[in-house]
Amino acid sequence: MAEFTTTKLNAESHLLLDQPLLRLPHELARKNFKTVQKHFERERDVVLSSLKSTANASLAGQDSSQTLNSLDGMINRMQGLKRKMESLHDEEKVLHQHSRKRIQHLQDLYDIPSLADVKYDEWSRIRLNRLLVDYLLRSGCLRSVSQDRGEPEEEEYSGVPGLVFGASTDDEEDQRTIIPSMLSVTASECLHEGVQNNLEFELRLQQYIELRRNGRLLDARQHAQKYIAPHTDTHLSEIHRAAGLLAYPPNTQAEPYKTMYSQSRWDFLATLFVKTHNELFSLPARPLLHIALSAGLSALKTPACHSKFASSSSNASSSTTSVCPICSTELKDLARNLPYAHHTKSNVESDPIVLPNGRVYGRERVLQVSAKAGLDDGRVKDPTTGDIFEASKIRKVYIS
């Protein structure tokens, strides 16, 4: 019964890490619906206006060929709208399919009774692959993602969320094309969602900086009047600095203009874009792999893990060999600065005693180690540190 308690699966705790699994297709479906609504309302207004104008012109004695041409134009617009609706409908069906698969994937967890079940290993493998894909996407390793998602059924659990840019680049051609791409995503996502952020302003400001860098002062002024001046209510100080940029060349050493000309702004834009993108799609700021790894390390970490007396690998006098994963070479440094988890249960050896150095062991274990070391009955050896003490200094421990 005790073994079943320790291996019993708590599905609710697993779902804390899997919330983005359901949020992402929901946000994508909502975005798809808003796109459909935008296309429909725009074409409806155009067609109704054209129909009214054509009807009035026909009643006023317009030539029948012109009326037919107007009707053909309206039919072509509606056919174009139909094709767009069909494409968006296909996308919606794929999103619904992914949602069903993900819901079923989480439902399978409730049908697994124990952590020792073989089905849990299969479920965990799919989850691990999804966490790896999420981490690789955030790191910009797109080729590795395509290789990692080898099985088609796993793509439904690890969908790529929208369009993510790695905007830090030194290629001038990429720099000229990346801002319009970001602005198109901002117009199709941020504005529709009503998210208040300064992403669009920073992108327009970068366009202004590039115009000034290339010596196109007139174009820079026109760009600022059209795209930057409307943001005076929220970015007045930044606009004042942008205006002063006209008086300083790209090789200036004066601040803050030197920083504005710096290539490090591309890193800033990349970070800001990804942050806004994650907020739109309800994705966590940190990779899910980091969250899962830090939680697992904290759950296994104990004060003894980073002790210099932890095991025989770090202490030649120790008679024990640690099998703790936190004490391993691969994970020890990762867990060093993590907090300790809150444990509701603790395992204590029977008949505990405390040695003069403050360490607590079971009496039987201490006596066995002392006997193997060839000590007489009046002395005992610490199994971890190897220190030897008088048996009379041992104290009984009572756990309250």
Side-chain angles (χ1 to χ4, degrees):
M1 183 65 183
E3 181 180 358
F4 176 79
T5 303
T6 57
T7 61
K8 183 178 180 180
L9 177 63
N10 185 356
E12 297 295 334
S13 62
H14 283 66
L15 295 184
L16 294 175
L17 193 63
D18 290 309
Q19 293 180 14
L21 188 68
L22 297 180
R23 286 181 178 177
L24 179 58
H26 171 72
E27 294 295 335
L28 291 175
R30 192 155 65 97
K31 176 177 175 292
N32 181 278
F33 172 77
K34 288 184 175 295
T35 303
V36 170
Q37 186 180 29
K38 181 191 70 174
H39 288 311
F40 173 78
E41 291 178 351
R42 183 178 60 189
E43 296 298 332
R44 179 199 61 189
D45 295 340
V46 172
V47 170
L48 289 179
S49 178
S50 299
L51 183 61
K52 183 178 180 180
S53 300
T54 302
N56 293 334
S58 178
L59 293 176
Q62 184 186 47
D63 185 65
S64 60
S65 60
Q66 295 181 357
T67 303
L68 291 176
N69 290 335
S70 299
L71 293 175
D72 289 339
M74 287 184 280
I75 292 174
N76 290 333
R77 293 189 69 93
M78 296 306 297
Q79 289 176 344
L81 177 62
K82 179 182 178 182
R83 288 191 294 269
K84 292 179 182 178
M85 295 297 103
E86 289 175 348
S87 176
L88 292 171
H89 180 60
D90 292 339
E91 293 180 10
E92 185 179 14
K93 289 194 296 185
V94 172
L95 292 174
H96 289 171
Q97 179 183 359
H98 287 182
S99 295
R100 285 194 296 269
K101 288 288 186 179
R102 295 177 182 212
I103 293 174
Q104 183 60 47
H105 172 64
L106 297 181
Q107 181 60 41
D108 292 341
L109 188 64
Y110 286 87
D111 299 331
I112 302 175
S114 170
L115 296 172
D117 197 300
V118 178
K119 293 182 179 179
Y120 180 73
D121 294 337
E122 299 175 356
W123 191 92
S124 298
R125 179 182 58 82
I126 296 176
R127 183 195 207 182
L128 177 60
N129 287 342
R130 180 165 50 82
L131 296 182
L132 290 175
V133 168
D134 174 81
Y135 176 77
L136 292 174
L137 281 174
R138 293 171 182 266
S139 302
C141 305
L142 300 181
R143 292 183 180 179
S144 300
V145 169
S146 60
Q147 295 176 1
D148 186 66
R149 295 188 309 169
E151 301 183 17
E153 64 271 15
E154 292 185 3
E155 294 189 14
E156 298 173 344
Y157 306 124
S158 57
V160 180
L163 181 61
V164 179
F165 289 99
S168 179
T169 175
D170 295 328
D171 188 6
E172 293 183 359
E173 183 177 356
D174 290 343
Q175 290 176 359
R176 288 194 299 268
T177 59
I178 197 169
I179 292 183
S181 301
M182 283 184 168
L183 286 171
S184 65
V185 176
T186 303
S188 62
E189 295 177 0
C190 300
L191 298 184
H192 290 173
E193 299 292 335
V195 177
Q196 299 297 326
N197 60 75
N198 63 344
L199 175 60
E200 182 184 4
F201 173 79
E202 293 293 344
L203 293 175
R204 295 297 185 185
L205 178 59
Q206 186 64 35
Q207 286 183 320
Y208 169 82
I209 294 173
E210 295 305 316
L211 291 174
R212 175 62 186 90
R213 191 196 307 274
N214 296 327
R216 300 166 57 183
L217 299 181
L218 181 60
D219 293 338
R221 290 181 59 185
Q222 293 176 350
H223 178 86
Q225 292 174 357
K226 183 176 181 180
Y227 297 110
I228 298 180
H231 295 273
T232 52
D233 293 339
T234 56
H235 298 86
L236 184 59
S237 60
E238 291 89 342
I239 294 176
H240 287 168
R241 288 196 293 268
L245 201 67
L246 295 174
Y248 291 87
N251 59 353
T252 182
Q253 297 300 315
E255 292 290 354
Y257 309 108
K258 179 182 177 180
T259 303
M260 295 178 70
Y261 280 121
S262 174
Q263 294 295 322
S264 62
R265 269 191 59 85
W266 293 101
D267 297 331
F268 166 73
L269 291 175
T271 302
L272 180 61
F273 182 85
V274 173
K275 177 183 177 182
T276 305
H277 175 274
N278 292 342
E279 290 177 355
L280 288 171
F281 290 103
S282 300
L283 298 175
R286 296 175 57 197
L288 295 175
L289 183 63
H290 287 183
I291 299 175
L293 187 60
S294 60
L297 293 177
S298 293
L300 296 174
K301 181 180 178 181
T302 65
C305 291
H306 295 92
S307 170
K308 63 180 180 179
F309 305 111
S311 66
S312 58
S313 60
S314 56
N315 178 22
S317 301
S318 174
S319 60
T320 63
T321 300
S322 174
V323 294
C324 173
I326 305 301
C327 297
S328 65
T329 305
E330 296 81 6
L331 299 178
K332 188 173 184 178
D333 290 337
L334 290 177
R336 187 177 301 277
N337 297 323
L338 291 176
Y340 299 105
H342 174 67
H343 296 281
T344 58
K345 296 182 180 179
S346 60
N347 297 321
V348 182
E349 299 178 21
S350 60
D351 193 13
I353 58 174
V354 59
L355 299 181
N357 59 2
R359 292 182 171 270
V360 178
Y361 302 98
R363 181 184 296 274
E364 182 179 357
R365 180 184 174 192
V366 172
L367 294 179
Q368 290 178 354
V369 171
S370 301
K372 290 181 180 180
L375 300 179
D376 53 38
D377 295 340
R379 295 189 300 170
V380 294
K381 180 181 180 180
D382 189 319
T384 301
T385 65
D387 297 333
I388 299 177
F389 305 99
E390 297 293 331
S392 59
K393 296 182 178 180
I394 296 176
R395 296 290 180 267
K396 174 71 174 176
V397 174
Y398 297 93
I399 300 176
S400 58

